[in-house]
Amino acid sequence: MAESRPVIPSAPPGEERLEHRWSAARGRMVGFYTAVPAGFGDGRGLPVCLVMHGASKTPDDYAALGLGRFLTDLVRRGLPPFVLAGADGGQLAWRPSAGDDPQRMVHEEIPMWCRQRGFDTTRLAAWGWSMGGYGALLLAEAFPGFVKGVAAFSPAVRPDDDVAGAARLLRGTPVGLWCGKQDSLYEEVLELRRRLPEPPVAGSFADGRHNFGYWSRCLPSAFDFLAGVLRS
């Protein structure tokens, strides 16, 4: 189906890097991806959006998804720049399990790795899709004030899960929420929206399924939202 094909801007990527680093939190080597919009060199001094993947993608896939191109498209549309940074969180829904703690990796190690690159880690946001959307919301709940905003695409939430149960902890954190009407998670995401202590400040619920064909169409508005929360 045509809608399953990602729509990627024609803008060029800037510096994209994929390397492997030891994560003590996870107890293994992980892929670590960063992207800087074209025209901003190595990204020194730019704020950071933490990327949290779903079950079917890893940082190895981010360049092919056009994430760097979306960043350049953002600044060409007149929005302030930021960088992307994300590492492989495995299949644990970004929760700790038996000594493997991807959430701690995002909270402690990725900011450290970003500081080593000269990025501004005093300004952080989080973006994730599916399992990663759940993980991004859970991160903001676990560490209030750690991120300036969360963009969640079709987060894999349930009415009785940790994210929904602790939604009150998102008070004061701007949330953007997107989900396709043909997504199997649609009703659950609507219920999460009702439970949020404050209405989402960005997002949409348009026709679309649980895939990057839909999510790629949401990325420009999500990046606009993230640029806004990272500006301050």
Side-chain angles (χ1 to χ4, degrees):
M1 295 178 63
E3 70 161 18
S4 67
R5 300 186 194 127
V7 177
I8 299 174
S10 59
E15 180 178 280
E16 289 183 285
R17 294 172 62 177
L18 177 66
E19 61 186 42
H20 289 83
R21 293 201 173 200
W22 173 258
S23 167
R26 297 209 59 213
R28 68 193 68 199
M29 298 292 290
V30 297
F32 174 55
Y33 167 92
T34 57
V36 179
F40 290 85
D42 61 6
R44 185 169 295 272
L46 295 184
V48 180
C49 174
L50 303 165
V51 183
M52 302 175 75
H53 61 76
S56 63
K57 302 293 184 183
T58 72
D60 291 354
D61 304 300
Y62 291 175
L65 292 172
L67 300 192
R69 296 178 184 275
F70 280 101
L71 278 183
T72 301
D73 177 70
L74 171 86
V75 297
R76 287 187 169 185
R77 291 187 287 105
L79 278 298
F82 59 87
V83 301
L84 298 174
D88 190 346
Q91 299 293 311
L92 301 176
W94 300 93
R95 297 174 298 180
S97 176
D100 185 347
D101 193 343
Q103 186 184 82
R104 184 163 72 88
M105 175 186 71
V106 177
H107 182 241
E108 298 178 9
E109 295 179 317
I110 295 179
M112 177 181 65
W113 300 339
C114 287
R115 284 192 295 273
Q116 292 170 356
R117 298 276 186 86
F119 303 156
D120 179 4
T121 58
T122 68
R123 294 180 290 162
L124 297 171
W127 161 54
W129 59 92
S130 189
M131 178 181 77
Y134 171 94
L137 292 163
L138 191 67
L139 178 75
E141 292 174 349
F143 306 100
F146 175 63
V147 294
K148 290 181 171 290
V150 177
F153 289 178
S154 310
V157 293
R158 294 289 184 266
D160 58 350
D161 67 19
D162 292 343
V163 164
R168 68 189 184 283
L169 297 176
L170 293 168
R171 183 174 298 278
T173 300
V175 172
L177 202 56
W178 290 257
C179 189
K181 291 182 178 179
Q182 289 74 43
D183 194 311
S184 62
L185 292 168
Y186 179 63
E187 293 299 330
E188 285 82 357
V189 177
L190 286 180
E191 176 60 25
L192 172 65
R193 183 176 67 174
R194 287 189 285 269
R195 292 191 182 202
L196 290 175
E198 298 158 332
V201 299
S204 64
F205 292 80
D207 286 339
R209 301 185 184 278
H210 199 80
N211 56 42
F212 262 93
Y214 168 69
W215 296 327
S216 67
R217 292 164 173 82
C218 300
L219 264 171
S221 63
F223 277 17
D224 289 359
F225 159 68
L226 292 165
V229 299
L230 288 169
R231 186 197 305 261
S232 59

